[in-house]
Amino acid sequence: MPLFTRPRPRPDRDPVPLPVPATAAEAVPEDLVRGAADGQGGGVPRRPLGRRVAGTVGTASAVAFVLLGLLLPDRLAELTPGAFLRLPGEAVLGAALLLALRGRARDVVAGALGLLLGVTVLLGALDLGFHEALGRPFDPVLDWILLDDGQAFLRDSVGRTGALLATAAALALASAVPAAGVASVVRLGRSLRRSGAVAAPVTLAGGTVWVVCAALGAQFAGAPLAARSTADALADRVRQTRATFADEEVFEKAAAHDPYRDTPGDRLLTGLRGKDVLFVFVESYGRTALEDPAMAPRIGALLADGTKRLKAAGFASRSGFLTSPTTGAGSWLAHSTFLSGLWVAHQQRYRSVTASDRLTLTEAFRRTGAWRTVGIMPGVTREWPEGRFYGLDRVYDSRELGYRGPKFSWAPVPDQFSLAAFERLEGGRAGRGPLMAGIVLVSSHNPWAPIPEMLDWEGLGDGSVYEGVRDRGADPRRVWRDPERVRTEYRRSVEYSLTSLVSYLEEYGDQDTVLVFLGDHQPIPAVAGEGVSRDVPVAMVAKDPAVFDRIGHWGWDEGLAPSPSAPVWRMDTFRDRFLGAFGPAS
């Protein structure tokens, strides 16, 4: 027998086996053949039922993941079933591209598209969180540092173990989502090839439907049926990234202009010499608290009562509004904007300004040599090098206020105790000179439960008395199950902070006390609502009429509560207005 001659099989013997495909992609589609199990012999055997069901579920899951990635809205309020009942144009284009490719090229392109889709899902999830907390989308250039701050917030709120578990879960999810994107698109690309005879006309029909719906402006549940949200989002991110890099140059030019940079100390703040000047930030105290129908009656009544009580104690007050550079969170951006006279709207600007020699309002007091400058920072739990930038002779953080009581949710120290600690550590010292203090009150920081109660000033001790107060407070996990209760607890926390301030002035204020207090930003959109202003109330309180003579031209309203028609300034304009009003030229 010749060496290369293959014998013919005999009819009474087993048939020659079918050649094995070189790759799985070249396999004969299982839905086009019948297996031997059907009793018809020959052909490619069907896969077991379990594997076929698993394959169908896998393909359906891949489709669902792709639709999720392409149609995911950026706001929780829009996260409804109707948001996903649309035709994404990117899916049609992607299917057409994968149908046009073959072999390894198709898998490589599908993998790249899947990775892009997975990253898009992650960024979309971050957008959801940022819109809910800050009322804006995630900035992929500047906002990564805020993730570390979020982890610190978790650690302070739920403890180190809870924060580590949450962080580990987030990292695992961040790794799994891109992998799921790659697997989903590669799987769908191979399914398209196997069913090319059907997939090509279906893709063409889908593209035709998309074009017609787009041309007609067809909508479903208030959203366009012809969706292209992913392409629009990517274009927005490109524009956002370009603007971010261009912003650095704009900010440098603004920071270079400082009319008070070279002003001698003896010509600064001459109208306040001998006074104790307190700048107090009230966490999340926004215009919403004064104008929301569900909150305004209670908080308005509290401020009206506070105005009367302070008037009875000899104090007068004026108030207006400032527009904060941030909302929902990012208090440090508002603090630096207010004190530096620069619009510090994001983390890159914050880093730039705190590393500069910009004259802050608090540094101006120290430059005069007429004040001791201190900071009361109950929300600071670790080293805070920014204290040097703000020109503070001494910073008291949460570890140095003498508090030995329980935390109230995120807030390490209750507001009343922080004010009492300032009086004990600085304000009440015998023989002291004038003080300038920057004080941050944090009891109105979310999640607003439990909330401290007002106690007798003389009975605060080391704070141990707050144990019973915390035990009587609300459980934040229960509060956050009910959106209306969240708003109620927010209102109550602001009431506590404002009551602490009014009571402090009654207890410790004197003829030389000048208090400026303001909100740092509006509360989160879940409380304030979508699309509200970034305005926060600001008020000045003093006994000396000469103080108000200096600011008469500001046009602020009388009392602690500004009316809806009260002046509204950008927060970065306050520094120059204040220095001008109390300088020698006034």
Side-chain angles (χ1 to χ4, degrees), residues 406-444:
K407 289 178 60 176
F408 284 81
S409 188
W410 179 85
V413 184
D415 289 348
Q416 185 186 9
F417 192 96
S418 295
L419 293 167
F422 165 68
E423 191 64 24
R424 169 171 42 84
L425 296 167
E426 292 286 347
R429 290 192 307 158
R432 66 168 179 82
L435 287 170
M436 190 293 305
I439 302 174
V440 180
L441 301 182
V442 297
S443 291
S444 49

Side-chain angles (χ1 to χ4, degrees), residues 27-110:
V28 179
E30 63 203 43
D31 56 344
L32 300 182
V33 299
R34 296 179 179 272
D38 293 330
Q40 298 183 19
V44 178
R46 277 192 176 185
R47 291 184 301 170
L49 177 62
R51 291 185 63 188
R52 281 185 278 137
V53 170
T56 301
V57 171
T59 301
S61 299
V63 171
F65 186 91
V66 170
L67 291 177
L68 170 69
L70 296 179
L71 298 175
L72 181 68
D74 61 1
R75 288 172 173 82
L76 285 178
E78 300 173 3
L79 196 59
T80 62
F84 299 97
L85 297 178
R86 299 184 294 151
L87 178 61
E90 301 88 351
V92 176
L93 290 175
L97 176 61
L98 294 179
L99 281 170
L101 297 173
R102 292 290 184 270
R104 183 171 179 80
R106 183 195 60 244
D107 286 348
V108 170
V109 171

Side-chain angles (χ1 to χ4, degrees), residues 498-566:
L498 297 176
T499 301
S500 297
L501 267 177
V502 170
S503 181
Y504 171 81
L505 286 175
E506 290 179 310
E507 187 76 17
Y508 300 109
D510 59 27
Q511 185 66 25
D512 292 324
T513 301
V514 177
L515 168 68
V516 177
F517 74 92
L518 66 150
D520 48 17
H521 53 69
Q522 288 265 48
I524 60 175
V527 172
E530 294 284 351
V532 298
S533 74
R534 294 190 173 192
D535 297 346
V536 297
V538 58
M540 184 179 293
V541 184
K543 285 188 174 182
D544 188 351
V547 171
F548 296 106
D549 291 341
R550 292 263 182 168
I551 66 167
H553 61 288
W554 287 4
W556 283 13
D557 292 345
E558 291 191 17
L560 298 177
S563 69
S565 60

Side-chain angles (χ1 to χ4, degrees), residues 122 125-126 147 151 154 162-178:
L122 289 178
L126 289 170
L147 300 181
Q151 201 272 345
L154 277 175
L164 287 174
L165 290 175
T167 301
L171 290 175
L173 187 62
S175 301
V177 168

Side-chain angles (χ1 to χ4, degrees), residues 297-353:
R298 292 285 298 269
I299 292 183
L302 183 147
L303 290 172
D305 179 66
T307 300
K308 292 178 181 178
R309 287 166 54 185
L310 291 177
K311 186 175 182 179
F315 288 97
S317 54
R318 302 287 187 274
S319 56
F321 289 105
L322 300 176
T323 301
S324 175
T326 184
T327 186
S331 302
W332 59 94
L333 303 179
H335 300 170
S336 55
T337 293
F338 179 82
L339 296 173
S340 72
L342 293 171
W343 190 251
V344 186
H346 52 69
Q347 193 66 20
Q348 182 60 45
R349 285 192 168 197
Y350 179 76
R351 289 176 172 176
S352 297
V353 72

